[in-house]
Amino acid sequence: MTHRIGYIVGSLAKDSINRVLSKSLVRLAPPSLELVEIPIRDLPLYNRDDELDPVAAVTTFKHDVERAEGLLLISPEYNRSIPGALKNAIDWGSRPWGHNSFARKPTGIIGASTGAIGTAVMQSSMRSVLSFLNAPQLNAPEAYITFKPELFGEDGEVTDPATEEFLRHYMSEYAAFVERVVSLTAPGHVGDQG
Ligand SMILES: Cc1cc2nc3c(=O)[nH]c(=O)nc-3n(C[C@H](O)[C@H](O)[C@H](O)COP(=O)(O)O)c2cc1C
């Protein structure tokens, strides 16, 4: 059985290292995952006034998130926090009140930065946001990637065997986590609280 996973790249840059990382993760994912990008580039700035009659980009975004069985957030750290474009997308997806598209979606957080702590502070901040949104998160392994050009090719091929093994392991643990959450939240499961 395959699971449809929506991945979101938190950077809009053409030469984004997180986009390169996303290509690596797609390559290294086990066959049980079908990874589909959920784009955030065309979303307007969040405005509560437009919640009930949003532009098509917002409707499409929420639909894409809801259609996914799991989410993978692949993002840089900006000024020790979540990049504005990604937080903006999450804000749209969380509303209107009572229609939070992220609820119960098993979510993985991973990111690459040029700095030594590899997006650790962004990820900590993201965990707080996702907890509020009732999205279960893969706790371990954590994945803080300090990007070095010699580790990755442009199309996401991982040229360093240890990095490749780590990312493959991350994706396999993420797949097992999705499987667990999906089976526990399936309609009719004894522990399902609705
Ligand atoms: C506005 C801005 C803020 C940044 N803040 C951080 C930071 O807090 N921590 C860090 O490790 N790198 C930081 N960086 C450097 C990023 O790690 C680097 O630009 C990286 O390439 C961004 O990822 P991307 O290529 O996927 O856009 C920052 C970069 C920008 C443009």
Side-chain angles (χ1 to χ4, degrees), residues 73-170:
L73 307 180
I74 306 158
S75 176
E77 173 179 284
Y78 280 177
N79 300 313
R80 295 284 182 256
S81 191
I82 302 167
L86 179 55
K87 181 59 165 54
N88 183 58
I90 292 172
D91 290 343
W92 274 120
S94 70
R95 303 295 293 190
W97 173 251
H99 297 273
N100 162 23
S101 305
F102 293 95
R104 299 188 178 81
K105 299 286 176 190
T107 302
I109 312 161
I110 183 169
S113 78
T114 48
I117 57 172
T119 76
V121 186
M122 175 283 293
Q123 292 192 33
S124 170
S125 179
M126 184 67 83
R127 286 187 183 282
S128 164
V129 172
L130 292 172
S131 298
F132 181 67
L133 296 178
N134 194 23
Q137 298 146 54
L138 175 66
N139 291 323
E142 297 170 300
Y144 308 128
I145 312 298
T146 300
F147 190 92
K148 299 200 177 82
E150 62 270 25
L151 301 181
F152 296 89
E154 252 179 48
D155 291 325
E157 56 287 24
V158 186
T159 45
D160 172 59
T163 305
E164 180 176 21
E165 186 46 39
F166 174 77
L167 294 176
R168 193 189 302 282
H169 175 65
Y170 179 85

Side-chain angles (χ1 to χ4, degrees), residues 1-41:
M1 190 176 177
T2 59
H3 297 294
R4 183 184 175 91
I5 304 301
Y7 71 90
I8 300 178
V9 178
S11 171
L12 306 183
K14 281 198 268 312
D15 62 350
S16 161
I17 59 176
N18 284 279
R19 181 156 296 286
V20 172
L21 177 61
S22 74
K23 291 178 186 168
S24 304
L25 297 172
V26 170
R27 280 172 176 262
L28 298 171
S32 62
L33 300 183
E34 181 202 357
L35 283 130
V36 181
E37 181 169 6
I38 301 180
I40 60 171
R41 176 177 299 280

